[in-house]
Amino acid sequence: MDAASIRQHLASLSCSLAVAMTGTAFVWFAPLMMFIVSENSPIPMTTTESSWLVSSIEFGEIIAVLPSGILADVFGRKSLILATGPVCAATFIFKVYVRSLTLMYVLRFLQGVCMGVAYAVCPIYIAEIAEPRLRGGASSHFQTLWYGGALFAYCVGPYVSYQSYAWICLTIPLLFTATFFLMPESPYYLLMKGRKDEAKRALTWLRAGKEVNEEFKAMEDTIEKEYLCKGSWKELFNTKKDRKAFIIVQVCCITKYMNGMSALVTYLSQTFGESSSQYLGHNELTIVVGVLLTVVTLSSSVMSDKIGRRPMLMFSSLGCSLFLLVIGGYYFLEFETDFDVSGYVWILYLSMLGYIIVANVGLGPLMQTIQAEFFSSRTRGIGGGLTLIVGSLGAFCCIKQYQLVQDTVGVFLNYWIYAIVCLVGAVSIFFYLPETAGRSLGEIQKDMSKQEEYMIVNGPENDEFVS
């Protein structure tokens, strides 16, 4: 790996620590799910209240994502992302002392705001600083560190006191703030603001002193063509190219956030704790799954630029659908029938393992890459914000429905619902998603524009431009 690659990966990793921070916040209650509804809970609550508490983080995300996309164009990608560090740090400090359920909702809301900013702006920052040959791998740090943050919570939460747990989690926002403060601003943003000298210095640092005149000129051309046309809601649907890009991103978004992974990482300890057949304790199983999530997502960073986005997303969606059907079938037999499944628990473990692997070689790490690649520079902030609202609503429904469906029908139905979502997503990706691996952001927009011109001349029945 050359010096330029190291610097770009370093910047994207530092930026993605914001996602690790919010990943820890998102699953913070996961190791405590059985404890917080017990008599010894520091904040007494029912199972219904606990489900609202863990899912309420999505409200903060929904409210934050749209302003984040707009504010990123006003104040800068780096400045906005960096601001989440002190805010998230403060929420962990307050958790040490807060004993009110109402105030805990407020803290979850603030953590959701931080998550909204990170999810909206980090993919933009990473896509804009990375070369095309590195963008897939650099963007995958986003999902890898999210699971890394979740794994941190899984490893710490069950084994220390409630107060110590909060103090230890404070280390991640502090580490993020200290490291990302040293990273450069996005050259695209600096050019958009007319700060050409700063933009060139930032690009030169990211490319480790290489000759950047040609790339810098290409960036200037992109800014001139796109940023001078003021981005607005209308720009998302202005042409067939824009509408197709928007639909593609939303299909990937819904498939990712409604595929069950959000509920799995939130209720993992509780689900394993209720299972009648185990070889390990539920906390240990939760940690094993957290390790797998992190390792698999990390390995996908190598494959996305070599294999391509489209085949990985299709494989991921179809694989998820298959394994979720099996998991749902296992839980149906265990909880809804008299059939003894104790001798077949290995099927559950293998299916869960398969689901974790296939979900995180495609859907997990590549959603943010697709989002950053398909929206043009002028709509990347607004489009990303709207996409994250869709994703937040999907994740909220995914998490909130889990406890409701489990209590009213049975946990098995959750997994069958997720399986149907993944199957529909796989079919849609097959028909509509073009390949973007190895292309610059400008080239992707040019290719989609050429496709639109081709369609106008030849008609929709001859749409062979994109493979």
Side-chain angles (χ1 to χ4, degrees):
M1 186 180 291
D2 59 19
S5 299
I6 292 173
R7 289 191 180 186
Q8 290 167 65
H9 279 292
L10 183 63
S12 65
L13 281 167
S14 177
C15 175
S16 297
L17 280 173
V19 187
M21 170 182 75
T22 58
T24 300
F26 184 84
V27 305
W28 197 81
F29 282 106
L32 307 175
M33 288 301 295
M34 301 177 76
F35 172 66
I36 61 175
V37 296
S38 70
E39 294 180 355
N40 298 322
S41 173
I43 309 172
M45 65 186 79
T46 64
T47 55
T48 300
E49 289 171 334
S50 70
S51 71
W52 276 109
L53 183 60
V54 297
S55 59
S56 61
I57 193 171
E58 296 294 348
F59 292 120
E61 183 179 8
I62 290 170
I63 288 175
V65 288
L66 271 182
S68 297
I70 297 169
L71 292 173
D73 286 342
V74 177
F75 297 107
R77 286 74 163 115
K78 177 185 173 180
S79 299
L80 196 60
I81 298 169
L82 191 60
T84 62
V87 175
C88 198
T91 64
F92 283 120
I93 294 172
F94 278 112
K95 279 185 179 180
V96 175
Y97 304 103
V98 165
R99 293 296 179 268
S100 162
L101 185 58
T102 301
L103 291 178
M104 193 61 73
Y105 278 120
V106 174
L107 296 181
R108 290 292 281 174
F109 176 84
L110 290 175
Q111 289 177 336
V113 170
C114 294
M115 190 162 72
V117 172
Y119 266 66
V121 188
C122 287
I124 299 174
Y125 177 85
I126 294 170
E128 291 180 346
I129 66 166
E131 297 174 70
R133 66 186 176 92
L134 300 174
R135 193 187 311 118
S139 297
S140 70
H141 295 323
F142 183 98
Q143 192 70 21
T144 301
L145 287 191
W146 194 93
Y147 285 132
L151 176 60
F152 184 81
Y154 293 154
C155 291
V156 175
Y159 306 109
V160 298
S161 68
Y162 181 89
Q163 291 83 359
S164 297
Y165 183 31
W167 283 120
I168 293 171
C169 289
L170 178 63
T171 58
I172 298 183
L174 294 179
L175 178 63
F176 157 69
T177 305
T179 57
F180 193 58
F181 179 79
L182 303 174
M183 295 299 114
E185 178 59 272
S186 161
Y188 273 89
Y189 167 77
L190 294 171
L191 276 174
M192 182 181 72
K193 292 300 182 181
R195 295 154 61 180
K196 292 187 178 182
D197 291 341
E198 292 178 61
K200 195 162 189 177
R201 283 198 299 270
L203 185 62
T204 301
W205 186 88
L206 289 163
R207 304 300 183 258
K210 290 182 183 177
E211 174 57 53
V212 297
N213 287 337
E214 185 177 342
E215 184 180 5
F216 191 73
K217 180 64 169 59
M219 283 186 179
E220 285 186 301
D221 291 342
T222 300
I223 297 298
E224 185 177 351
K225 290 176 183 176
E226 296 183 348
Y227 274 126
L228 291 181
C229 302
K230 183 68 174 177
S232 67
W233 293 103
K234 251 190 337 185
E235 297 290 338
L236 288 170
F237 313 100
N238 203 29
T239 65
K240 188 167 185 175
K241 178 204 79 166
D242 294 323
R243 291 191 294 272
K244 182 176 181 179
F246 182 80
I247 292 171
I248 288 170
V249 174
Q250 302 320 304
V251 166
C252 292
C253 178
I254 292 170
T255 307
K256 173 184 175 177
Y257 287 102
M258 285 294 291
N259 78 337
M261 192 56 67
S262 298
L264 178 70
V265 298
T266 302
Y267 289 101
L268 194 57
S269 183
Q270 179 180 338
T271 299
F272 283 136
E274 291 172 346
S275 180
S276 61
S277 305
Q278 296 182 24
Y279 296 127
L280 296 172
H282 64 274
N283 288 324
E284 288 71 30
L285 281 171
T286 301
I287 292 171
V288 169
V289 171
V291 171
L292 286 172
L293 286 167
T294 307
V295 171
V296 170
T297 308
L298 179 62
S299 65
S300 72
S301 65
V302 179
M303 297 185 289
S304 65
D305 286 321
K306 294 181 178 179
I307 298 176
R309 325 286 196 238
R310 187 169 179 266
M312 288 183 67
L313 285 168
M314 286 175 55
F315 168 77
S316 181
S317 302
L318 283 172
C320 283
S321 183
L322 174 63
F323 287 117
L324 286 165
L325 283 172
V326 176
I327 294 169
Y330 180 91
Y331 282 128
F332 177 81
L333 292 174
E334 180 174 14
F335 295 117
E336 308 300 324
T337 72
D338 295 327
F339 187 80
D340 183 10
V341 296
S342 59
Y344 303 95
V345 69
W346 60 270
I347 295 177
L348 173 65
Y349 292 156
L350 284 180
S351 299
M352 197 72 78
L353 172 63
Y355 168 58
I356 289 167
I357 291 173
V358 299
N360 291 286
V361 297
L363 287 171
L366 290 181
M367 167 57 220
Q368 277 67 37
T369 305
I370 295 296
Q371 173 186 315
E373 289 180 338
F374 276 87
F375 288 130
S376 66
S377 300
R378 68 182 186 278
T379 60
R380 202 166 286 140
I382 295 173
L386 186 57
T387 299
L388 283 167
I389 287 181
V390 173
S392 299
L393 289 172
F396 173 78
C397 292
C398 182
I399 296 169
K400 190 67 183 78
Q401 85 165 46
Y402 191 93
Q403 192 72 53
L404 177 64
V405 170
Q406 178 174 327
D407 292 342
T408 56
V409 180
V411 69
F412 69 92
L413 185 58
N414 281 306
Y415 293 95
W416 286 350
I417 292 172
Y418 304 147
I420 293 171
V421 171
C422 291
L423 181 60
V424 173
V427 173
S428 301
I429 289 166
F430 175 78
F431 284 107
Y432 296 109
L433 182 71
E435 186 55 73
T436 57
R439 300 177 182 179
S440 70
L441 300 179
E443 287 172 341
I444 293 168
Q445 295 304 314
K446 286 179 183 177
D447 287 346
M448 293 190 71
S449 296
K450 287 178 183 176
Q451 182 191 15
E452 183 175 1
E453 293 170 4
Y454 182 90
M455 294 279 286
I456 292 171
V457 173
N458 296 279
E461 68 277 5
N462 297 311
D463 184 10
E464 301 174 351
F465 182 81
V466 176
S467 59

